[in-house]
Each structure stands twice: as C-alpha cells, then as structure tokens.
Amino acid sequence: MNAISDMQPEQIADYLTRHPNFFNDFPTLLADIHIPHPHGTHAVSMSERQLIAMRDKVRMLENKLAELIQFGEENDGISEKLHALTLALLAARTPQEVVAALALHLREGFAVPHHALRVWNLEAEAPTLSEPVSPDLRDAVTTLAQPACGPLTIDEAGAWFGEIAPHLRTFAFIPLRPAATVAPIGLLVLASEEARRFYPGMGTLYLERLGQMLGAALVRMQD
C-alpha cells in the first residue's frame, strides 16, 4: 500500500467516496481542516466551504430560474401578438385586407422593419402579392421543411425589397403552408438591418405558425 504522502488526489477522493461515514467517525476534522476560500485568499473550514458551495449553487439556480421566467414572459408576449394577428386575419375579407393586417401587426406588434410577400396560384388580385416568381424560387421554397433564418439565401427574394435591399443583413424565409402536409402557396420574407435579428439556429416555431395562419387566410379567399 502506498504511503499517505504518495497518495494521489484521485485516490483520496475515491476513498472518501467509498467511505461516506468517514467524517462521522472524525467529526472534528470538518472544523480543523482549513482550505482556500473560493472567492478570496484566506482559508475557511470544510464545513464553511460546503456552505459557500451551497450558496453558489443556490445563486446559480436562482439565476437560471430568472432566465426561464424571462423566456416564459417573452413567449407569452409573442403568443399574445400572434393571437392578435390571427384575429385580424380572420376578420379580413379580401387579400388586400390580409396584406394590410399583416403589415400593421409586423410593424407595430413585432417591430419587424421590412417584409415582402409573394403567393402563387392566387386568383384574387392584391398589390405585389401575385407578382410572378421563378420556378427555381418555388422549388427552393418547397424544400424548406421549416422557416430558415440568416443571411440572404434566396437571391430572387432580395430584389423584392427595392432600394433598401443592399442594407439588409438578416432574413427569415417563411413558407406559406395552410397545413403542415401541403405544398407551400407562397413565401413571406422578414428582413432587418440588424445582424442578430434573424440568425441561423434561432427558434422558428412562431414563424412556422405565422406561415400557416397567413397561408390559411389567403387560401380562404379562394373559396
């Protein structure tokens, strides 16, 4: 057996793990052994060190809880805004009213500075809504299983923003699917000058729901 002076820290840790009653047998050690303070230069007893560790853990959990509460409040806010947009789309009677309701809620509710919308196979007329798009763009939209965020990946859509296009840095490409299992009937593109507004890997659940609601509202106009 190795001498105590030759023992490795891992061996000591393993021994204490396998003998949980060690400090019950030698209770004074908790007060007699002093170790460096984790946040300073002075030494503290093992029992005080355990208390500090517990306080740090509680503080970490409190911060995590505050973060989760913040996320929950933000999601609640998004849900309320999406609900308001849904009601506005339900109240719309024409494609023009759908376009107007979308523009209003994106601008005032979601603070989205720029957006563009195109649909295909829509009989009713609306300004810019039914302007022709290329087969390549339709194919690209069909391949999107969910909204895609990040830099401009569909070049043709960049031209939809006119003079502001060169200043836009991030985009959200949202297929318009009236239902999850049907082919897209159009494309909604959100855009921003901010580099982190729409970024790869961001959550797209609400964007997907937006595409479904808008697609369903436009299909309703054809019935």
Side-chain angles (χ1 to χ4, degrees):
M1 181 176 178
N2 293 336
I4 294 179
S5 60
D6 295 332
M7 293 184 67
Q8 299 298 314
E10 293 78 8
Q11 292 176 295
I12 298 174
D14 180 65
Y15 177 86
L16 293 177
T17 301
R18 290 186 291 104
H19 298 81
N21 292 321
F22 177 83
F23 288 106
N24 289 335
D25 298 332
F26 301 93
T28 59
L29 285 177
L30 290 174
D32 294 342
I33 295 177
H34 287 72
I35 57 179
H37 192 288
H39 308 305
T41 58
H42 63 288
V44 295
S45 67
M46 290 186 66
S47 57
E48 187 176 352
R49 176 65 179 83
Q50 286 183 306
L51 181 59
I52 293 171
M54 289 298 297
R55 287 173 178 168
D56 288 344
K57 186 174 182 179
V58 169
R59 189 176 298 109
M60 180 187 67
L61 293 175
E62 287 176 343
N63 291 338
K64 186 65 176 178
L65 178 59
E67 182 180 346
L68 292 175
I69 291 175
Q70 180 182 352
F71 288 155
E73 291 175 345
E74 291 175 354
N75 286 337
D76 286 344
I78 294 174
S79 295
E80 287 293 328
K81 295 171 183 177
L82 204 59
H83 178 65
L85 174 56
T86 301
L87 295 179
L89 294 178
L90 287 173
R93 295 172 179 264
T94 66
Q96 290 88 340
E97 291 182 358
V98 169
V99 172
L102 175 68
L104 176 65
H105 285 267
L106 286 179
R107 182 178 64 252
E108 298 187 0
F110 294 95
V112 174
H114 312 285
H115 76 280
L117 176 65
R118 296 291 187 276
V119 299
W120 33 91
N121 301 327
L122 184 67
E123 295 179 1
E125 293 293 331
T128 73
L129 191 63
S130 55
E131 289 186 2
V133 298
S134 69
D136 288 341
L137 183 139
R138 294 192 188 190
D139 292 341
V141 174
T142 300
T143 63
L144 292 177
Q146 60 188 22
C149 300
L152 182 65
T153 56
I154 302 179
D155 293 337
E156 182 178 337
W160 299 349
F161 292 92
E163 295 180 353
I164 194 64
H167 304 285
L168 301 176
R169 302 180 64 185
T170 55
F171 301 81
F173 299 93
I174 307 172
L176 304 188
R177 285 188 172 91
T181 58
V182 303
I185 64 164
L187 176 67
L188 171 64
V189 184
L190 311 181
S192 173
E193 294 93 342
E194 299 177 16
R196 293 290 296 171
R197 182 62 191 272
F198 305 110
Y199 55 89
M202 70 179 290
T204 59
L205 174 62
Y206 290 113
L207 296 179
E208 185 173 359
R209 290 178 178 175
L210 172 59
Q212 291 175 347
M213 291 189 310
L214 185 55
L218 292 170
V219 167
R220 179 167 60 92
M221 302 299 168
Q222 304 178 64
D223 294 337

